[in-house]
Amino acid sequence: MDTRRIDLCFPVAKVSELAARERRSAAAQPLPSFGKWWGRKPHSLIRAILLGCLPHEGDRDSILNQWTVALESEKLAKADLSAKPLGRVLDPFVGGGSVPWTCASLGVDFLASDLQPQSVFLTNASLQLGALPEDDRQCLHVFLTSAYEEVQRCLHADGFTHDSGGRLMDMTLYHGRLRGVDCISSRRIDHRSQLSIIDGTLCTSNDTHVGGTVKNGRVLVDDELIRFEELRGDGLHLWDSEQVVGDPEEWQEIPWAIRVHQEGKRVWVVPTQDDMLRDQALTELVARSLEGWFDSGLIPESPIPPGVETDRLSRERGWTHWHHLFAPRQLLQLVRFQEVIRSRARTREERLVGALALGRMLNWNSRLCMWNRHLAKTEQTFANLALNPLSDFGVRSWPSLKSAVVRKIPGHGGRSGEASIADARSPGAAFDLCITDPPYDDAVHYDELSSFFAVWQRELLPAAISGHPLESGDFATGLGDAFQNLRARMRAGGRIVLMFAQNASSSWTDLAHAIDAAGLFVRAVWPVDLETRPGLKRGRFGTLAVVVVLSSDEGPGAPDDPRAMAQAAGMDGDHDPDRRTANLRACAGACALRRSALRGGDPSMHLQSILDELAV
């Protein structure tokens, strides 16, 4: 009988350790250098799964020892996978491209696809650029550096790069004013130095929320906290496509702090009246130029489509088009950068790295970039999996964007490959092993979030095909259809390995029904902790990804003890009750899958029994 390592054992502690190490190292995470995607799984986890799908030969302890040694060394892992090839590996929900990148680096044959054009674009860009020789990748880095410097000269010629004192600007902080009421969480700039701006003067303050008027989603008005919805009244007027700022009678954005370069340091200054006038002149320049930028394709004149995430943009700010999510200074930077890339790029690779740099600029410099007072920096637009309008935010000037624009291009050391646009529910090529991170019901609306980038990069995106994403309809039925298709395409003795990171009971029962409908058998479930706990925020979110091993036939597999799973995942030492509860719920969902396979019956009943057993 065909049995794989991963059916009977898994180096849970070692993979958790390596995943935590990977999370702490930018060099160990090459894919964010190409662009933003949500929920990429660590390469160490995927490498462990690939090694785990080798035949189970020998006793458990010796297998785990060999496995652990190979996990520490990419060279050894590559040798093991070369000696006993796995055949063709498929990822039908490729997302950010972690599976094909890891396969390419280890010399494993792969297929990859997704229904999201933005996902396929990012995956193909990483695979193609990552396969280039180091000298070619270095030349592209030099190209981006020279483009960055040329944009700096263009922006300087526009006349808005310096403050009233002639100092090069680095950052501007804005706060909102909603119908005459200031909206700001705190007038402190930096918690470490306690630096604040109070009554137009730089000072220090012991009060973390000094001068703040926004707290827990409410605004302080006449010493009373009221909801934003009440202050908006009947709602804000919807912006016209030609607008770049809000109606002064409704929503304004007020610059309240500027960071400048002075004598080799970055210092904060209070905006002067001249700075306010410069900001207004910049807004007028952008407003005058907008129509021409639309015509030349430098700014997408694209309306924001309705959706769960996108509806809040019009409801809370009146924004109707994607360019409304960018302040005037940000729009000018985006335009000047594209103009330089258009004039300088001579090869497809140069145009491609320019488009990727544009995507990084979008993510790190929009009206949705929160000012982090703990670290004195702006967060990325997608600091979480949502589009969140802010009451106060930071706008980077060009010098502060260099790290986003100019990135070294990592290599994977393997052959180039290409992902395709395809629906996982549609027929396709045969495969031997499927490793994938499937959608999680409606937890993340990838189609809506990816539109934020796609409207700017659409000339390089593959053409979309018909088909609704799984998260937009009946999730269990859609996922069941996908699994049935995958089962039909899987060669004899193959495996489907899922990386499922959910703690909601409904997602686990939906997954169980989809697996059962496809006639697949759950061989094993292995919860792995993918985060470094000390840096996590408290909350309801868990840190486990559960490796679910499926086959088309029954066979030996791992036991279904939820307490043993929790112990192996290291939860005994977790003192955060909220996180521990979320992780235990993930273990319970995983265990319910296995019990359903072994004993039959309703998965939801097994899940409830396990939750009761764990007292969650």
Side-chain angles (χ1 to χ4, degrees):
M1 182 176 292
D2 177 65
T3 305
R4 309 295 179 94
R5 292 172 169 180
I6 200 169
D7 295 340
L8 300 176
C9 57
F10 197 76
V12 171
K14 188 62 181 179
V15 175
S16 295
E17 174 194 332
L18 292 174
R21 191 189 307 170
E22 187 176 325
R23 296 285 194 193
R24 294 193 296 266
S25 169
Q29 302 176 65
L31 292 177
S33 295
F34 296 100
K36 177 67 180 180
W37 196 259
W38 303 269
R40 286 185 174 113
K41 293 298 182 284
H43 300 286
S44 49
L45 173 61
I46 299 164
R47 186 162 63 247
I49 293 171
L50 288 168
L51 290 167
C53 289
L54 294 174
H56 190 283
E57 298 172 343
D59 64 272
R60 181 179 181 277
D61 290 341
S62 65
I63 288 171
L64 283 173
N65 183 60
Q66 295 170 18
W67 202 343
T68 300
V69 171
L71 277 174
E72 288 277 16
S73 167
E74 187 169 298
K75 184 177 180 180
L76 286 176
K78 193 170 184 178
D80 285 354
L81 293 167
S82 176
K84 298 176 182 177
L86 295 172
R88 178 178 289 171
V89 177
L90 168 70
D91 185 353
F93 302 104
V94 73
S98 296
V99 170
W101 178 277
T102 307
C103 287
S105 68
L106 295 173
V108 175
D109 185 29
F110 65 87
L111 292 171
S113 62
D114 204 292
L115 195 56
Q116 302 289 350
Q118 184 71 21
S119 162
V120 173
F121 163 67
L122 285 177
T123 298
N124 286 339
S126 65
L127 291 172
Q128 293 161 19
L129 294 175
L132 293 175
E134 185 176 353
D135 288 348
D136 291 353
R137 288 185 278 115
Q138 179 59 32
C139 288
L140 291 173
H141 182 261
V142 171
F143 168 76
L144 282 178
T145 302
S146 64
Y148 168 83
E149 293 169 349
E150 177 64 22
V151 173
Q152 176 65 25
R153 290 189 286 270
C154 293
L155 291 171
H156 181 69
D158 289 324
F160 302 104
T161 55
H162 292 68
D163 77 334
S164 58
R167 295 162 294 198
L168 183 65
M169 297 170 63
D170 183 71
M171 184 76 66
T172 304
L173 304 187
Y174 289 80
H175 72 77
R177 183 172 289 164
L178 180 57
R179 291 190 165 141
V181 178
D182 284 351
C183 301
I184 185 169
S185 56
S186 172
R187 293 194 180 271
R188 177 185 275 188
I189 297 170
D190 185 352
H191 288 329
R192 292 171 298 184
S193 65
Q194 298 184 336
L195 184 66
S196 307
I197 294 181
I198 303 174
D199 296 330
T201 303
L202 277 170
C203 61
T204 58
S205 170
N206 292 324
D207 182 359
T208 304
H209 303 289
V210 61
T213 58
V214 174
K215 185 177 181 181
N216 297 329
R218 297 171 182 259
V219 188
L220 187 66
V221 180
D222 296 331
D223 296 324
E224 181 182 356
L225 286 171
I226 68 168
R227 295 181 179 276
F228 270 95
E229 290 84 349
E230 297 178 44
L231 193 56
R232 287 195 295 268
D234 295 331
L236 303 179
H237 288 105
L238 298 180
W239 290 25
D240 296 329
S241 62
E242 296 81 9
Q243 272 186 265
V244 294
V245 294
D247 185 335
E249 299 300 317
E250 292 194 331
W251 176 259
Q252 288 180 281
E253 292 162 353
I254 314 297
W256 66 278
I258 301 175
R259 188 165 66 190
V260 298
H261 291 265
Q262 179 176 294
E263 298 177 353
K265 298 180 179 179
R266 295 185 302 174
V267 300
W268 289 97
V269 297
V270 179
T272 65
Q273 182 62 31
D274 184 58
D275 290 319
M276 298 291 192
L277 293 174
R278 285 169 182 265
D279 199 73
Q280 179 61 33
L282 170 60
T283 299
E284 292 170 357
L285 168 66
V286 171
R288 289 195 309 270
S289 306
L290 198 58
E291 185 175 354
W293 292 342
F294 285 153
D295 292 341
S296 59
L298 292 166
I299 299 288
E301 193 176 7
S302 302
I304 300 171
V308 175
E309 284 297 328
T310 50
D311 281 351
R312 72 177 62 175
L313 301 176
S314 60
R315 182 175 65 248
E316 297 181 19
R317 290 293 181 272
W319 297 335
T320 58
H321 289 67
W322 283 112
H323 68 274
H324 292 158
L325 276 63
F326 300 89
R329 183 179 299 278
Q330 295 165 333
L331 289 174
L332 183 62
Q333 293 164 347
L334 292 166
V335 166
R336 297 294 181 243
F337 178 73
Q338 291 178 91
E339 289 174 336
V340 168
I341 293 297
R342 286 185 180 186
S343 66
R344 284 175 168 253
R346 297 290 180 267
T347 67
R348 183 182 184 281
E349 288 75 20
E350 288 176 344
R351 290 190 292 273
L352 184 55
V353 295
L356 294 172
L358 177 68
R360 294 191 295 269
M361 290 170 61
L362 297 169
N363 188 38
W364 285 100
N365 206 29
S366 77
R367 280 181 162 122
L368 308 187
C369 288
M370 178 184 71
W371 179 246
N372 186 327
R373 289 170 168 83
H374 295 279
L375 301 177
K377 71 180 188 72
T378 54
E379 296 292 348
Q380 56 181 309
T381 296
F382 291 103
N384 60 13
L385 304 172
L387 292 163
N388 295 313
L390 303 170
S391 59
D392 52 304
F393 58 93
V395 172
R396 297 188 181 202
S397 295
W398 192 245
S400 191
L401 270 175
K402 185 173 184 179
S403 61
V405 175
V406 183
R407 291 273 185 95
K408 289 188 176 180
I409 301 163
H412 52 64
R415 64 175 179 82
S416 180
E418 186 168 311
S420 61
I421 284 281
D423 191 330
R425 293 160 286 192
S426 301
F431 64 89
D432 300 278
L433 170 65
C434 173
I435 303 175
T436 195
D437 182 6
Y440 308 142
D441 208 342
D442 60 353
V444 183
H445 297 276
Y446 295 101
D447 53 331
E448 297 179 27
L449 301 184
S450 62
S451 295
F452 174 86
F453 299 104
V455 295
W456 296 82
Q457 298 171 323
R458 57 189 170 194
E459 290 185 2
L460 289 171
L461 266 58
I465 62 173
S466 60
H468 296 290
L470 293 182
E471 65 267 17
S472 68
D474 185 336
F475 175 73
T477 300
L479 196 59
D481 292 342
F483 287 166
Q484 286 178 341
N485 174 48
L486 293 175
R487 185 179 188 275
R489 295 166 57 185
M490 184 168 60
R491 295 191 178 110
R495 294 289 184 278
I496 297 172
V497 182
L498 311 178
M499 299 173 286
F500 203 70
Q502 262 292 333
N503 55 67
S505 298
S506 59
S507 295
W508 283 103
T509 52
D510 282 349
L511 178 62
H513 288 304
I515 291 171
D516 182 65
L520 291 165
F521 180 75
V522 181
R523 285 286 188 102
V525 286
W526 304 107
V528 181
D529 197 340
L530 298 183
E531 300 283 358
T532 31
R533 286 190 175 133
L536 289 173
K537 299 177 183 177
R538 292 178 60 90
R540 61 184 178 86
F541 300 104
T543 59
L544 295 185
V546 179
V547 177
V548 181
V549 185
L550 307 174
S551 65
S552 58
D553 58 333
E554 297 187 15
D560 60 339
D561 182 351
R563 294 192 181 279
M565 290 181 191
Q567 185 177 16
M571 280 187 278
D572 288 350
D574 188 1
H575 302 296
D576 184 325
D578 296 324
R579 185 172 58 230
R580 179 179 169 81
T581 296
N583 284 340
L584 282 173
R585 294 188 73 86
C587 278
C591 188
L593 286 183
R594 179 66 175 149
R595 286 192 182 176
S596 296
L598 294 175
R599 309 177 189 181
D602 186 346
S604 60
M605 297 296 291
H606 286 299
L607 178 56
Q608 188 56 54
S609 172
I610 295 166
L611 290 173
D612 293 341
E613 181 182 337
L614 295 173
V616 177

PDB file of all heavy atoms in Angstrom, residues 227-241:
ATOM      1  N   ARG A 227     -20.798  58.524  17.314  1.00  0.00           N
ATOM      2  CA  ARG A 227     -20.386  57.670  16.214  1.00  0.00           C
ATOM      3  C   ARG A 227     -20.105  58.484  14.955  1.00  0.00           C
ATOM      4  O   ARG A 227     -20.726  59.529  14.723  1.00  0.00           O
ATOM      5  CB  ARG A 227     -21.487  56.640  15.902  1.00  0.00           C
ATOM      6  CG  ARG A 227     -21.743  55.642  17.022  1.00  0.00           C
ATOM      7  CD  ARG A 227     -22.828  54.665  16.612  1.00  0.00           C
ATOM      8  NE  ARG A 227     -23.075  53.687  17.658  1.00  0.00           N
ATOM      9  CZ  ARG A 227     -22.375  52.570  17.830  1.00  0.00           C
ATOM     10  NH1 ARG A 227     -21.377  52.307  16.997  1.00  0.00           N
ATOM     11  NH2 ARG A 227     -22.661  51.739  18.801  1.00  0.00           N
ATOM     12  N   PHE A 228     -19.162  57.994  14.154  1.00  0.00           N
ATOM     13  CA  PHE A 228     -18.881  58.637  12.876  1.00  0.00           C
ATOM     14  C   PHE A 228     -20.144  58.722  12.028  1.00  0.00           C
ATOM     15  O   PHE A 228     -20.371  59.711  11.325  1.00  0.00           O
ATOM     16  CB  PHE A 228     -17.801  57.853  12.102  1.00  0.00           C
ATOM     17  CG  PHE A 228     -16.394  58.307  12.387  1.00  0.00           C
ATOM     18  CD1 PHE A 228     -15.626  57.666  13.336  1.00  0.00           C
ATOM     19  CD2 PHE A 228     -15.840  59.376  11.697  1.00  0.00           C
ATOM     20  CE1 PHE A 228     -14.335  58.070  13.609  1.00  0.00           C
ATOM     21  CE2 PHE A 228     -14.543  59.791  11.955  1.00  0.00           C
ATOM     22  CZ  PHE A 228     -13.788  59.140  12.905  1.00  0.00           C
ATOM     23  N   GLU A 229     -20.986  57.679  12.098  1.00  0.00           N
ATOM     24  CA  GLU A 229     -22.199  57.658  11.298  1.00  0.00           C
ATOM     25  C   GLU A 229     -23.103  58.845  11.625  1.00  0.00           C
ATOM     26  O   GLU A 229     -23.730  59.432  10.739  1.00  0.00           O
ATOM     27  CB  GLU A 229     -22.969  56.347  11.520  1.00  0.00           C
ATOM     28  CG  GLU A 229     -22.304  55.112  10.932  1.00  0.00           C
ATOM     29  CD  GLU A 229     -21.235  54.520  11.858  1.00  0.00           C
ATOM     30  OE1 GLU A 229     -20.878  55.182  12.847  1.00  0.00           O
ATOM     31  OE2 GLU A 229     -20.769  53.407  11.581  1.00  0.00           O
ATOM     32  N   GLU A 230     -23.149  59.198  12.915  1.00  0.00           N
ATOM     33  CA  GLU A 230     -23.976  60.345  13.308  1.00  0.00           C
ATOM     34  C   GLU A 230     -23.390  61.648  12.808  1.00  0.00           C
ATOM     35  O   GLU A 230     -24.118  62.554  12.393  1.00  0.00           O
ATOM     36  CB  GLU A 230     -24.113  60.374  14.838  1.00  0.00           C
ATOM     37  CG  GLU A 230     -24.831  59.169  15.420  1.00  0.00           C
ATOM     38  CD  GLU A 230     -24.885  59.234  16.943  1.00  0.00           C
ATOM     39  OE1 GLU A 230     -25.187  60.320  17.476  1.00  0.00           O
ATOM     40  OE2 GLU A 230     -24.610  58.198  17.586  1.00  0.00           O
ATOM     41  N   LEU A 231     -22.047  61.746  12.818  1.00  0.00           N
ATOM     42  CA  LEU A 231     -21.410  62.977  12.360  1.00  0.00           C
ATOM     43  C   LEU A 231     -21.532  63.121  10.844  1.00  0.00           C
ATOM     44  O   LEU A 231     -21.645  64.237  10.330  1.00  0.00           O
ATOM     45  CB  LEU A 231     -19.926  62.970  12.775  1.00  0.00           C
ATOM     46  CG  LEU A 231     -19.174  64.301  12.643  1.00  0.00           C
ATOM     47  CD1 LEU A 231     -19.877  65.408  13.418  1.00  0.00           C
ATOM     48  CD2 LEU A 231     -17.745  64.144  13.137  1.00  0.00           C
ATOM     49  N   ARG A 232     -21.548  61.985  10.142  1.00  0.00           N
ATOM     50  CA  ARG A 232     -21.730  62.056   8.692  1.00  0.00           C
ATOM     51  C   ARG A 232     -23.177  62.391   8.330  1.00  0.00           C
ATOM     52  O   ARG A 232     -23.471  62.823   7.212  1.00  0.00           O
ATOM     53  CB  ARG A 232     -21.345  60.712   8.046  1.00  0.00           C
ATOM     54  CG  ARG A 232     -19.835  60.456   8.010  1.00  0.00           C
ATOM     55  CD  ARG A 232     -19.496  59.326   7.050  1.00  0.00           C
ATOM     56  NE  ARG A 232     -20.039  58.050   7.465  1.00  0.00           N
ATOM     57  CZ  ARG A 232     -19.395  57.150   8.209  1.00  0.00           C
ATOM     58  NH1 ARG A 232     -18.162  57.407   8.601  1.00  0.00           N
ATOM     59  NH2 ARG A 232     -19.954  56.018   8.552  1.00  0.00           N
ATOM     60  N   GLY A 233     -24.104  62.165   9.254  1.00  0.00           N
ATOM     61  CA  GLY A 233     -25.506  62.495   9.012  1.00  0.00           C
ATOM     62  C   GLY A 233     -26.095  61.648   7.904  1.00  0.00           C
ATOM     63  O   GLY A 233     -26.025  60.421   7.934  1.00  0.00           O
ATOM     64  N   ASP A 234     -26.667  62.316   6.888  1.00  0.00           N
ATOM     65  CA  ASP A 234     -27.291  61.601   5.774  1.00  0.00           C
ATOM     66  C   ASP A 234     -26.263  61.021   4.817  1.00  0.00           C
ATOM     67  O   ASP A 234     -26.632  60.411   3.815  1.00  0.00           O
ATOM     68  CB  ASP A 234     -28.230  62.539   5.003  1.00  0.00           C
ATOM     69  CG  ASP A 234     -29.409  62.978   5.856  1.00  0.00           C
ATOM     70  OD1 ASP A 234     -29.797  62.196   6.750  1.00  0.00           O
ATOM     71  OD2 ASP A 234     -29.930  64.079   5.622  1.00  0.00           O
ATOM     72  N   GLY A 235     -24.992  61.199   5.133  1.00  0.00           N
ATOM     73  CA  GLY A 235     -23.948  60.653   4.262  1.00  0.00           C
ATOM     74  C   GLY A 235     -23.208  61.744   3.529  1.00  0.00           C
ATOM     75  O   GLY A 235     -23.717  62.850   3.313  1.00  0.00           O
ATOM     76  N   LEU A 236     -21.960  61.447   3.159  1.00  0.00           N
ATOM     77  CA  LEU A 236     -21.148  62.401   2.414  1.00  0.00           C
ATOM     78  C   LEU A 236     -21.507  62.354   0.936  1.00  0.00           C
ATOM     79  O   LEU A 236     -21.905  61.310   0.410  1.00  0.00           O
ATOM     80  CB  LEU A 236     -19.657  62.064   2.594  1.00  0.00           C
ATOM     81  CG  LEU A 236     -19.147  62.028   4.037  1.00  0.00           C
ATOM     82  CD1 LEU A 236     -17.671  61.655   4.064  1.00  0.00           C
ATOM     83  CD2 LEU A 236     -19.364  63.358   4.726  1.00  0.00           C
ATOM     84  N   HIS A 237     -21.335  63.491   0.274  1.00  0.00           N
ATOM     85  CA  HIS A 237     -21.553  63.507  -1.168  1.00  0.00           C
ATOM     86  C   HIS A 237     -20.536  62.602  -1.843  1.00  0.00           C
ATOM     87  O   HIS A 237     -19.366  62.536  -1.444  1.00  0.00           O
ATOM     88  CB  HIS A 237     -21.399  64.933  -1.708  1.00  0.00           C
ATOM     89  CG  HIS A 237     -22.533  65.836  -1.332  1.00  0.00           C
ATOM     90  ND1 HIS A 237     -22.448  66.803  -0.362  1.00  0.00           N
ATOM     91  CD2 HIS A 237     -23.803  65.903  -1.813  1.00  0.00           C
ATOM     92  CE1 HIS A 237     -23.602  67.436  -0.244  1.00  0.00           C
ATOM     93  NE2 HIS A 237     -24.438  66.905  -1.102  1.00  0.00           N
ATOM     94  N   LEU A 238     -20.968  61.878  -2.855  1.00  0.00           N
ATOM     95  CA  LEU A 238     -20.053  61.038  -3.607  1.00  0.00           C
ATOM     96  C   LEU A 238     -19.134  61.909  -4.456  1.00  0.00           C
ATOM     97  O   LEU A 238     -19.580  62.883  -5.080  1.00  0.00           O
ATOM     98  CB  LEU A 238     -20.838  60.073  -4.498  1.00  0.00           C
ATOM     99  CG  LEU A 238     -21.747  59.078  -3.760  1.00  0.00           C
ATOM    100  CD1 LEU A 238     -22.459  58.178  -4.757  1.00  0.00           C
ATOM    101  CD2 LEU A 238     -20.955  58.246  -2.770  1.00  0.00           C
ATOM    102  N   TRP A 239     -17.863  61.563  -4.475  1.00  0.00           N
ATOM    103  CA  TRP A 239     -16.883  62.349  -5.230  1.00  0.00           C
ATOM    104  C   TRP A 239     -17.076  62.139  -6.729  1.00  0.00           C
ATOM    105  O   TRP A 239     -17.394  61.040  -7.189  1.00  0.00           O
ATOM    106  CB  TRP A 239     -15.464  61.922  -4.869  1.00  0.00           C
ATOM    107  CG  TRP A 239     -15.006  62.302  -3.489  1.00  0.00           C
ATOM    108  CD1 TRP A 239     -15.773  62.546  -2.399  1.00  0.00           C
ATOM    109  CD2 TRP A 239     -13.647  62.456  -3.064  1.00  0.00           C
ATOM    110  NE1 TRP A 239     -14.999  62.840  -1.314  1.00  0.00           N
ATOM    111  CE2 TRP A 239     -13.679  62.787  -1.697  1.00  0.00           C
ATOM    112  CE3 TRP A 239     -12.416  62.320  -3.687  1.00  0.00           C
ATOM    113  CZ2 TRP A 239     -12.515  63.007  -0.959  1.00  0.00           C
ATOM    114  CZ3 TRP A 239     -11.265  62.542  -2.960  1.00  0.00           C
ATOM    115  CH2 TRP A 239     -11.316  62.891  -1.609  1.00  0.00           C
ATOM    116  N   ASP A 240     -16.828  63.222  -7.489  1.00  0.00           N
ATOM    117  CA  ASP A 240     -16.741  63.103  -8.940  1.00  0.00           C
ATOM    118  C   ASP A 240     -15.410  62.461  -9.302  1.00  0.00           C
ATOM    119  O   ASP A 240     -14.449  62.486  -8.523  1.00  0.00           O
ATOM    120  CB  ASP A 240     -16.827  64.485  -9.596  1.00  0.00           C
ATOM    121  CG  ASP A 240     -18.176  65.157  -9.357  1.00  0.00           C
ATOM    122  OD1 ASP A 240     -19.176  64.417  -9.242  1.00  0.00           O
ATOM    123  OD2 ASP A 240     -18.214  66.398  -9.282  1.00  0.00           O
ATOM    124  N   SER A 241     -15.334  61.916 -10.506  1.00  0.00           N
ATOM    125  CA  SER A 241     -14.093  61.272 -10.929  1.00  0.00           C
ATOM    126  C   SER A 241     -12.935  62.261 -10.984  1.00  0.00           C
ATOM    127  O   SER A 241     -11.771  61.886 -10.823  1.00  0.00           O
ATOM    128  CB  SER A 241     -14.273  60.606 -12.295  1.00  0.00           C
ATOM    129  OG  SER A 241     -14.583  61.566 -13.289  1.00  0.00           O
TER     130      SER A 241
END
